Amino acid sequence: MAAPAAAGSGEGPHSPLLDDLMPWSVRPLRTGRPWVTAPDAASLRARWERLVRAPEPERERLFGPTRARTPQTPVAALPGQSTGTGRFAREPGPCPEPVRILHGPFDEQWLLPDHRLIDAARPELWRVADDHQVFLVEHGRVPQDTGPALSVTALLPDGHSPAGRPGRIRPLYRRPGGGEPNLAPGLLALLRARHGDTVTAESVLAWILAAARRTPAGCVVPLPADTARWSAGVELGQELLRLQLRGARGGERPRLPGGRRPYVRAAVPPGPSELSYDAEEQVLALGSGRISPVPAGAWEFQVGGVRMLELWFGRRTAVSGADGLDAVLPRAWPQEWTSELLELITLLALLAELRPRQDELAEGPEIGAPELRAAGVLPVPATARRPASVLDHQEEGPDGQFALL
């Protein structure tokens, strides 16, 4: 018997790959040096000051040279940022203003947006990052992983994976200002013909967020043939989107109903070293600090086989290297970290409660590959997999030079 065709291959009725539905994707950022990201902006400014004030030999060691970046590397400007393009060793300049990013799934951190410090900053993402953009991020797949296949954010994501092979970053729009949806040509027309004129790029994103699932062939997205199932999935996806945007785009921040909201019952100590969970009492302990109630769904929420709460805590308490720049962290646990933890607990708890509804979307008749081929959606043209030309001004090149156009 012949082996079944791979999803998205254009053979048989199998669900298409996400890679075919949102064809333009970008690899994760590669910083090359961990100290350019931090859980708080003040630590990044302190790291910068320590670096620029260090004597020359010490400065190079703290910088952490790689093949892509050394203090002598000239680079082009990072789109949308006003940092220098000259050699860092010659003219470091003032500390760039840290920007908020999504560091891996569900962890909001800060980044120094200086192209001289980042091995692979993915400028094509920075060019389309604006108040209209949202980014879909695939999670690395590991065996028996029961976590979500995707997450979404309004922040610039670095695409870091806690375990397994990193996924891809897929902007919803190929151009600034919400222009040109990053969808396979013909897909919107096909879905509108089946489900009505209310189908938009945003509703397709919502369906993908709710229905995508991992397979050995890649992340696949079943496309429903019945409008009732489509509408239910879009409604669920819009709720997932609202939660994960965390108040961005004028939305509400995640909140659990009264009586279920987590509160600080005992203050987090200045230097908590251990994190533990009491399932019976629903208490999360950070050293002598206590937070409750914390639903089991939030504690057990995993991506890539890693508990998100444990990963979040570890990134704020582990100091790698006695004198490396990434060891520069707050001397005492900041109050804002506690507030961020309460919101993360809330978000994970609400996402865990929605997982059964996501599982229900897997069953039902689908729009198969033959119909996608007949509509010209498959195969996807190569141009749709490349970034659009979005430059409306010259970008500063290495050492302040501009290309002759």
Side-chain angles (χ1 to χ4, degrees), residues 37-39 99-103 107-111 315-316:
T37 61
V99 297
R100 195 71 157 159
I101 66 166
L102 189 71
H103 179 45
D107 189 354
E108 295 187 356
Q109 295 205 17
W110 297 88
L111 170 73
R315 286 172 173 166
R316 286 154 179 78

Side-chain angles (χ1 to χ4, degrees), residues 145-277:
D145 186 3
T146 59
L150 306 168
S151 59
V152 67
T153 178
L155 301 175
L156 185 82
D158 63 10
H160 179 80
S161 177
R165 182 179 180 181
R168 309 280 291 194
I169 301 169
R170 301 181 189 273
L172 177 58
Y173 298 107
R174 292 167 50 83
R175 299 179 185 274
E180 192 178 340
N182 178 25
L183 298 174
L187 179 62
L188 275 178
L190 171 68
L191 293 174
R192 284 169 179 163
R194 182 62 67 99
H195 302 306
D197 292 338
T198 58
V199 175
T200 63
E202 291 78 9
S203 61
V204 174
L205 175 72
W207 171 266
I208 290 172
L209 190 61
R213 62 179 185 269
R214 294 186 183 88
T215 72
C219 185
V220 301
V221 182
L223 294 177
D226 57 296
T227 300
R229 182 166 156 239
W230 165 263
S231 299
V234 169
E235 181 181 2
L236 174 57
Q238 289 172 338
E239 177 65 6
L240 293 168
L241 178 63
R242 182 190 69 81
L243 291 173
Q244 294 184 52
L245 293 189
R246 306 193 200 188
R249 309 290 190 265
E252 296 181 358
R253 305 193 76 88
R255 296 188 68 181
L256 282 163
R260 296 180 55 210
R261 295 172 190 164
Y263 288 95
V264 177
R265 310 299 178 174
V268 179
S273 59
E274 294 182 353
L275 183 74
S276 61
Y277 179 68

Side-chain angles (χ1 to χ4, degrees), residues 84-99:
T85 60
R87 292 167 174 82
F88 185 88
R90 187 173 64 196
E91 187 182 359
C95 180
E97 187 62 28
V99 297

Side-chain angles (χ1 to χ4, degrees), residues 203-388:
S203 61
V204 174
L205 175 72
W207 171 266
I208 290 172
L209 190 61
R213 62 179 185 269
R214 294 186 183 88
T215 72
C219 185
V220 301
V221 182
L223 294 177
D226 57 296
T227 300
R229 182 166 156 239
W230 165 263
S231 299
V234 169
E235 181 181 2
L236 174 57
Q238 289 172 338
E239 177 65 6
L240 293 168
L241 178 63
R242 182 190 69 81
L243 291 173
Q244 294 184 52
L245 293 189
R246 306 193 200 188
R249 309 290 190 265
E252 296 181 358
R253 305 193 76 88
R255 296 188 68 181
L256 282 163
R260 296 180 55 210
R261 295 172 190 164
Y263 288 95
V264 177
R265 310 299 178 174
V268 179
S273 59
E274 294 182 353
L275 183 74
S276 61
Y277 179 68
D278 185 326
E280 184 175 348
E281 299 293 331
Q282 291 195 325
V283 171
L284 185 70
L286 298 81
S288 60
R290 297 290 185 273
I291 296 176
S292 70
V294 175
W299 171 252
E300 294 295 344
F301 198 101
Q302 299 183 20
V303 175
V306 178
R307 286 194 181 104
M308 290 295 95
L309 290 180
E310 289 183 319
L311 181 63
W312 184 94
F313 179 79
R315 286 172 173 166
R316 286 154 179 78
T317 55
V319 177
S320 57
D323 60 349
L325 291 177
D326 46 332
V328 177
L329 289 169
R331 295 182 179 180
W333 183 272
Q335 175 60 42
E336 56 263 32
W337 286 4
T338 302
S339 299
E340 292 173 13
L341 177 57
L342 291 172
E343 181 173 89
L344 180 59
I345 291 169
T346 300
L347 171 63
L348 298 181
L350 290 170
L351 292 179
E353 291 176 359
L354 294 177
R355 288 304 301 277
R357 289 175 57 189
Q358 290 182 256
D359 295 338
E360 293 172 0
L361 295 176
E363 299 299 328
E366 295 184 23
I367 300 173
E371 187 170 346
L372 294 173
R373 287 200 311 273
V377 177
L378 294 179
V380 178
T383 53
R385 300 192 184 279
R386 297 194 291 266

